[in-house]
Amino acid sequence: MAKKRIRIDLEDSDGAKYNFNIEGNITRDKVIKIFELMNLMNIEDQDEAPQLDSVGAKIWHIVDKYFPMGNFTSNEILEKYEDEYNEPIKLSIISTYLARFNTKGRINRLRQGKAWVYQIAKIPQKTD
């Protein structure tokens, strides 16, 4: 039986090139780990428009587009979502997705009074 091989070549917006090779016993978990690494490094295909085919993807698009650096609340996401997509959404749905993003480590949340305040999680940069 032939060896299985997957090769992924990417270039980021700064021109840095990344090559990922997986050979041998390739499992779904191993491929997912590569994509998680790419996500941590913020490597995205700049030529493609974001796939906004789910509510979660739309909410993440709002978070990433309007609040890449600052803090935000679920009410602010609700307002931007309805403005951007011209469709109503319940605050509980927004809150559920933000909680999921927090569990996955994509955002951080902090309790301030009775409300949660969120911020996109940043990877600490090493300084040598």
Side-chain angles (χ1 to χ4, degrees):
M1 190 163 133
K3 275 188 178 180
K4 291 182 182 179
R5 184 182 329 197
I6 295 178
R7 179 178 171 171
I8 303 170
D9 297 321
L10 301 166
E11 185 173 336
D12 68 13
S13 59
D14 297 327
K17 294 183 181 186
Y18 303 89
N19 301 308
F20 299 98
N21 294 308
I22 309 173
E23 293 183 25
N25 183 18
I26 300 172
T27 63
R28 182 175 188 270
D29 289 335
K30 291 176 184 175
V31 174
I32 289 172
K33 285 179 184 179
I34 292 292
F35 284 103
E36 287 173 350
L37 175 64
M38 290 166 44
N39 187 35
L40 287 173
M41 296 173 63
N42 291 324
I43 299 173
E44 298 175 0
D45 188 354
Q46 302 295 327
D47 297 332
E48 290 185 19
Q51 298 254 350
L52 304 176
D53 52 356
S54 69
V55 173
K58 289 178 179 179
I59 292 171
W60 183 255
H61 176 72
I62 296 296
V63 169
D64 195 40
K65 180 178 180 180
Y66 293 103
F67 306 99
M69 302 297 285
N71 296 335
F72 57 91
T73 64
S74 53
N75 282 319
E76 291 172 320
I77 298 297
L78 174 71
E79 185 178 311
K80 294 289 187 188
Y81 184 98
E82 290 179 344
D83 289 346
E84 181 94 3
Y85 300 111
N86 294 321
E87 59 187 54
I89 188 168
K90 293 181 179 180
L91 184 60
S92 62
I93 294 173
I94 301 284
S95 298
T96 298
Y97 277 98
L98 292 177
R100 289 177 185 170
F101 295 152
N102 176 254
T103 301
K104 292 178 181 178
R106 295 178 80 179
I107 61 174
N108 297 319
R109 73 178 183 175
L110 178 65
R111 187 75 125 161
Q112 286 188 349
K114 293 182 179 183
W116 289 107
V117 177
Y118 302 89
Q119 184 176 27
I120 292 181
K122 299 292 180 198
I123 300 171
Q125 300 292 325
K126 288 186 178 179
T127 54
D128 293 328

